[in-house]
Amino acid sequence: MHNVHTYSCLLDIRYIISKSYNGRKELGDIAHFYRAAKPLPSFLMYKEQTMDFSIKYFKDYISFHVDDSHPVKELLPHPCEEADIEEEEIRRALAHPISSARLSEIVKAGEKVVIITSDVTRPVPSWLLIPCVLQELEAAGVREEDITVVFALGSHRHLTEEERERLAGEWAYHKVKCIDSDPEDCVHLGTCRNGTSVDIFRTVAEADRRILLGNVEYHYFAGYSGGMKAIMPGCASLASIQSNHKNMIRPGAYAGHLDGNPVREDIEETAAYCPADFIVNVVLDDHKKIAYAAAGDPVAAHRDACRFLDGLYRVDIKKPADVVIVSTGGYPKDINLYQAQKSIDNAKHAVKEGGIMIVAASCHEGYGSAPFTRWIESYPTPEERIAAIHEHFELGGHKSAALGLVQQKCTIYLVTDMDDALVRKANMVPFHDLQQAVDQALEKRGAKASVYVIPVGGSTLPMITADDSVNEK
């Protein structure tokens, strides 16, 4: 049986090999040999497995066994090669924009241009993207003094000068103005149909041209990150952010979903009041290297990147399982419950109503966020947290409500280093031994209980599909 430890090692070997040669075209026989490994479970959307598994827990692996009377499937993301040279992939996207003219043909000399990118809480490789965009602007005749890089803080803290320089890259940082967005200095531009006030950071609102940078990954209520999210909520007032995020409790607001997603619709309606002229979005591999870049129209290019992401990390299944065993992928994604919540939210799509989700997450720092902690302590039940978020939305508290929505569907067993009292306070069942949790869950769900194992919960999105090509055994 090829367990997830084997899978992780193979990914690391692939990465080392790819870095040891000059690009994918020169991997030759080595790459051919590697691709020949596709019959291994790690390279399939999912496959029926034998009984022994090993998953990441904090900085180590923990093992468990499932009796062979249970149908077991392992859900794994597809391994991905990074671009030969990341900057060349960005330039390729800029040279071949989607549903748009080239950026150098859109902007004009004398126009005030803002380049909006993420802060330190997101893995956007801004130091690679910004120089490539500046070269396009230079080709259009835009002066350096007319360009401002804006770090979209949303509701996060201000950056330090050292962080701004690191994100922009030393060359760009000393070439153009680099500032944080300010939720206290916004211009009111309109109101969305959902009632969200479009209050946007003044520098962004008053610019002639807006270029958005970002990375595309699954977002548990906006569907995906990237696209117009750089403006809303990235450069919005706190009131606007809270109003937009309130939509997370409405139907259709879940990871991997765009059409009919009230949060994403709200975000993209912002363009009617504060349009973006061009975006550059990237998809990152497991090593946070650029695997793909999409540039051009703010919606069309974003959707293109979303499709690429789905090809890597979406796992189609025909039906949910009685028991789902999920790891966040280990440190730092399981450093606290606030971080582990993303894996829980992804895995909810794979578990039956009334089923059991076993989450392996150290959470040695406890709950994590102060507002998240306060909501768990203030509202004793999932139902009360969900009701409270309807009445008074609060960032941080919203994750306790999201967790509550999962708990309305299934029971969560948390295998953790957290104190038992804290786990029970969060309405989960505490365990400190993974095998004990697995045995108890299977006993409760019965001798023929079906099982999914998700070794990398933060990056894997299981989705129910009616596609006949998905082979159920």
Side-chain angles (χ1 to χ4, degrees), residues 336-339 365-373:
N336 55 47
L337 186 58
Y338 189 86
Q339 294 299 324
E365 292 187 0
Y367 293 146
S369 156
F372 180 68
T373 301

Side-chain angles (χ1 to χ4, degrees), residues 92-401:
R92 179 205 59 76
L94 287 167
H96 302 283
I98 297 167
S99 301
S100 171
R102 282 192 68 150
L103 179 58
S104 58
E105 297 168 354
I106 294 173
V107 297
K108 301 290 186 293
E111 292 182 324
K112 301 293 184 183
V113 179
V114 291
I115 302 170
I116 306 171
T117 191
S118 297
D119 67 4
V120 291
T121 66
R122 303 292 183 264
V124 181
S126 303
W127 55 92
L128 298 176
L129 293 164
I130 292 171
C132 294
V133 171
L134 290 179
Q135 289 169 6
E136 282 281 306
L137 296 179
E138 183 180 4
V142 179
R143 299 176 301 175
E144 292 174 7
E145 55 265 36
D146 289 335
I147 302 170
T148 301
V149 172
V150 176
F151 297 104
L153 301 184
S155 60
H156 305 152
R157 66 165 175 83
H158 282 280
L159 303 180
T160 65
E161 287 299 326
E162 292 77 13
E163 288 170 334
R164 292 188 197 99
E165 182 171 1
R166 175 169 60 82
L167 289 175
E170 184 179 0
W171 177 79
Y173 182 76
H174 294 286
K175 198 174 184 68
V176 298
K177 187 177 182 181
C178 298
I179 63 172
D180 294 344
S181 65
D182 184 353
E184 301 297 324
D185 182 20
C186 291
V187 177
H188 177 69
L189 301 174
T191 304
C192 295
R193 289 188 299 271
N194 283 338
T196 297
S197 181
V198 183
D199 304 330
I200 304 300
F201 175 47
R202 187 177 304 277
T203 301
V204 172
E206 294 178 351
D208 298 310
R209 300 290 182 181
R210 303 173 192 90
I211 303 162
L212 316 184
L213 312 182
N215 74 299
V216 172
E217 58 188 359
Y218 293 118
H219 189 281
Y220 71 100
F221 59 80
Y224 300 78
S225 64
M228 285 293 295
K229 264 183 114 280
I231 291 179
M232 174 65 78
C235 293
S237 69
L238 293 179
S240 294
I241 295 169
Q242 296 215 21
S243 181
N244 170 258
H245 285 12
K246 280 182 181 178
N247 293 301
M248 65 169 283
I249 52 181
R250 295 178 55 198
Y254 57 86
H257 183 61
L258 290 168
D259 294 338
N261 184 320
V263 178
R264 174 58 62 173
E265 289 176 347
D266 208 46
I267 289 167
E268 293 182 346
E269 191 182 346
T270 301
Y273 307 99
C274 188
D277 296 280
F278 199 87
I279 72 166
V280 186
N281 280 181
V282 296
V283 177
L284 306 180
D285 67 12
D286 288 340
H287 298 276
K288 300 303 180 187
K289 301 293 183 180
I290 295 173
Y292 182 71
D297 178 80
V299 174
H302 177 254
R303 299 301 191 267
D304 180 74
C306 292
R307 285 189 290 272
F308 187 90
L309 182 81
D310 284 345
L312 297 180
Y313 298 119
R314 175 172 166 149
V315 180
D316 289 335
I317 56 178
K318 274 198 169 182
K319 57 186 178 182
D322 293 285
V323 177
V324 172
I325 303 163
V326 59
S327 165
T328 66
Y331 178 86
K333 295 179 181 178
D334 69 347
I335 196 168
N336 55 47
L337 186 58
Y338 189 86
Q339 294 299 324
Q341 181 269 339
K342 178 180 179 182
S343 296
I344 294 171
D345 211 81
N346 284 350
K348 72 182 181 185
H349 303 286
V351 67
K352 287 182 179 178
E353 294 279 346
I356 297 172
M357 183 190 299
I358 302 172
V359 181
S362 168
C363 301
H364 70 282
E365 292 187 0
Y367 293 146
S369 156
F372 180 68
T373 301
R374 188 174 66 255
W375 275 64
I376 290 174
E377 292 176 344
S378 300
Y379 302 102
T381 67
E383 290 73 22
E384 287 175 281
R385 291 170 199 138
I386 295 165
I389 210 72
H390 278 277
E391 295 171 6
H392 53 97
F393 187 91
E394 181 182 6
L395 292 169
H398 74 293
K399 278 207 171 189
S400 76

Side-chain angles (χ1 to χ4, degrees), residues 403-459:
L403 182 62
L405 290 169
V406 180
Q407 290 171 316
Q408 286 187 325
K409 181 179 185 182
C410 66
T411 300
I412 298 177
Y413 289 3
L414 185 63
V415 181
T416 183
D417 295 322
M418 284 176 65
D419 182 79
D420 287 1
L422 291 177
V423 178
R424 292 191 182 97
K425 186 73 173 176
N427 307 101
M428 295 180 284
V429 182
F431 287 88
H432 302 287
D433 182 277
L434 177 57
Q435 189 63 57
Q436 287 182 0
V438 171
D439 291 345
Q440 182 166 316
L442 293 176
E443 182 181 355
K444 282 186 176 294
R445 295 300 294 175
K448 298 296 182 181
S450 56
V451 180
Y452 286 140
V453 178
I454 309 177
V456 194
S459 301

